[in-house]
Amino acid sequence: MEKLPKIGIPILILIVVLIIFISKSTETIGSGEAGVLYKTFGGGVVTDQPPLGEGFHIVAPWNKVITYEVRQQEVFEKMQVLSSNGLEIKLDASAWFQPKYEKLGLLHQQKGENYVARVLLPTIRSAARSVVGRYTPEQLYSSKRDAIQKEIFEETKKIVDDQYIQLNEILVRDVTLPPTIKDAIERKLKQEQESLEYEFRLTKAAKEAERQKIDAEGKAEANRILSASLTDKILQEKGIQATVELAKSSNSKVVVIGSGKDGMPLILGNQ
């Protein structure tokens, strides 16, 4: 019985060591994450195998797992860039990105966990300066925002594709011009709008005048044709037909014979 405590202490120590060993040998990767395995005695970062996926993993306690978020992320950046004529423009943009899953080991080995600040943001700034420098403030303020957004995306993507980063989208959220330049552009745009509106009214008035002219010419031509077709015999026939119809009426009437051989009767009713 006295030997039992002496035997039990080593067993207890062994159990504690085993628990510590197991706790150090397990790694749980969360949703939307992946793990890069670092082998302390086996060549460092594992780059020739896919990263560890979501779930539970058993890892040697002397190795290390570095966890990365691999779902789409967003980063915001405010920049001051120059337009084509040297004016300072404030640009507010954001980027949607994620690390390339199969290249996560290379990303960690060559760029590190702070790859956004080391690679992505400097590339966005450089592309924005290059693209905005091609346009005037007027173009940036009015019609070219979608164009610069697309060009910044294409120039940034061309660089970061080789840096193991997948760029999904660049969004230009705001373009801020110097107040004096903004006011001048707004006045110019207002004047252009008023000029277009005036030209529209002139065009509309000219079209209405043309329509009225065509309508009057049509009526004049119709009257000319009608006048040419109304001979004396036709008028006499029409008059006789009208007289006959009136004579059929039950109302009392007085018939007065017109002068001349072709004079038409004049019928006065209710006499």
Side-chain angles (χ1 to χ4, degrees), residues 5-267:
K6 294 182 180 179
I7 297 174
I9 291 174
I11 294 175
L12 182 61
I13 293 172
L14 181 63
I15 292 173
V16 171
V17 171
L18 185 61
I19 292 173
I20 295 173
F21 181 84
I22 293 175
S23 65
K24 293 291 185 179
S25 301
T26 60
E27 186 73 30
T28 301
I29 307 296
S31 177
E33 296 178 339
V36 175
L37 181 62
Y38 180 86
K39 293 183 176 180
T40 305
F41 305 109
V45 178
V46 176
T47 59
D48 56 351
Q49 297 178 10
L52 302 178
E54 300 174 3
F56 181 80
H57 300 273
I58 296 178
V59 180
W62 50 83
N63 292 336
K64 182 180 179 181
V65 175
I66 302 93
T67 302
Y68 280 81
E69 185 174 4
V70 293
R71 60 166 67 95
Q72 179 173 279
Q73 305 161 60
E74 185 174 25
V75 63
F76 297 89
E77 183 68 3
K78 292 185 177 182
M79 299 164 278
Q80 291 185 342
V81 293
L82 299 179
S83 64
S84 61
N85 54 1
L87 289 174
E88 188 176 87
I89 310 296
K90 292 182 180 179
L91 199 68
D92 187 0
S94 66
W96 293 350
F97 72 97
Q98 59 198 96
K100 291 185 176 180
Y101 187 86
E102 297 296 329
K103 304 293 184 180
L104 197 58
L106 291 170
L107 177 68
H108 178 72
Q109 184 184 60
Q110 298 181 21
K111 311 302 174 185
E113 297 177 69
N114 199 23
Y115 68 93
V116 174
R118 288 180 177 176
V119 179
L120 184 60
L121 290 180
T123 306
I124 293 174
R125 294 189 201 106
S126 176
R129 292 190 185 98
S130 174
V131 171
V132 173
R134 303 170 193 160
Y135 296 97
T136 64
E138 290 85 351
Q139 292 173 321
L140 297 174
Y141 185 76
S142 56
S143 60
K144 294 298 184 180
R145 184 172 301 191
D146 291 341
I148 66 171
Q149 178 173 289
K150 181 180 179 181
E151 290 178 26
I152 292 173
F153 169 76
E154 290 174 350
E155 291 201 14
T156 304
K157 182 177 177 62
K158 184 168 58 178
I159 295 174
V160 300
D161 266 350
D162 296 331
Q163 307 298 318
Y164 319 116
I165 301 171
Q166 177 182 316
L167 184 66
N168 298 332
E169 191 63 84
I170 291 286
L171 303 174
V172 175
R173 300 184 178 274
D174 190 31
V175 177
T176 305
L177 305 179
T180 54
I181 301 300
K182 181 180 178 181
D183 293 343
I185 292 173
E186 288 179 346
R187 286 196 301 271
K188 180 181 178 182
L189 292 175
K190 183 178 179 181
Q191 291 170 357
E192 290 176 351
Q193 185 64 34
E194 290 174 348
S195 176
L196 290 173
E197 184 179 353
Y198 180 69
E199 290 178 4
F200 172 76
R201 290 202 300 268
L202 290 178
T203 303
K204 184 178 179 181
K207 288 182 178 180
E208 178 62 18
E210 183 66 20
R211 185 194 68 78
Q212 292 178 358
K213 178 183 176 183
I214 293 172
D215 187 47
E217 290 175 349
K219 289 180 179 178
E221 180 65 16
N223 290 334
R224 187 189 65 78
I225 295 172
L226 180 61
S227 297
S229 65
L230 292 177
T231 65
D232 292 340
K233 290 189 176 297
I234 291 176
L235 290 173
Q236 184 178 7
E237 182 182 354
K238 294 293 183 182
I240 293 171
Q241 289 176 355
T243 302
V244 171
E245 293 297 325
L246 287 171
K248 292 178 181 179
S249 168
S250 61
N251 296 331
S252 61
K253 57 189 73 64
V254 175
V255 179
V256 180
I257 304 302
S259 62
K261 64 177 182 178
D262 294 328
M264 297 299 299
L266 175 62
I267 300 177

